[in-house]
Amino acid sequence: MAREKAYCQELRKSGEWVHIWRCVGQYANISVFDVADNEALHRILWNLPLFPYMSIEVTPLAQHPSDLLVGEEVA
């Protein structure tokens, strides 16, 4: 657990793992990743210590054109 927590915190600090929420009443999470491509996401997920025991569903998202931050660098 300590290894997974440290890895997740590293990804949060780098900005790749933007959000993580626990699903109430379930042993499940909902996460938002901000990565360059599928390969980067694949690398992140494969390096999760519990990956072999996980069931993962991926839904690609894109920035909405009405977002006030479109085109701005987020620090």
Side-chain angles (χ1 to χ4, degrees), residues 2-17 20 48:
R3 191 172 117 220
E4 180 136 347
K5 183 176 182 178
Y7 178 60
C8 293
Q9 288 176 347
E10 173 188 319
L11 292 168
R12 294 273 298 132
K13 288 176 186 172
S14 73
E16 292 177 294
W17 200 329
I20 183 169
L48 289 170

Side-chain angles (χ1 to χ4, degrees), residues 62-73:
Q63 195 168 30
H64 194 281
S66 296
D67 189 331
L68 295 175
L69 299 177
V70 169
E72 291 186 22
E73 185 76 20

Side-chain angles (χ1 to χ4, degrees), residues 6 8 11 15-16 21 23-24 28 33-34 42 44 49 55-56 62 69 74-75:
C8 293
L11 292 168
E16 292 177 294
W21 295 278
C23 298
V24 177
F33 296 93
D34 187 3
H42 188 82
I44 288 170
S55 173
I56 297 175
L69 299 177
V74 178

Side-chain angles (χ1 to χ4, degrees), residues 28-72:
N29 299 322
I30 295 176
S31 298
V32 176
F33 296 93
D34 187 3
V35 293
D37 54 31
N38 290 340
E39 299 302 321
L41 180 60
H42 188 82
R43 174 188 46 80
I44 288 170
L45 296 176
W46 267 82
N47 284 314
L48 289 170
L50 295 177
F51 178 77
Y53 312 101
M54 298 168 72
S55 173
I56 297 175
E57 181 180 324
V58 176
T59 303
L61 301 174
Q63 195 168 30
H64 194 281
S66 296
D67 189 331
L68 295 175
L69 299 177
V70 169
E72 291 186 22

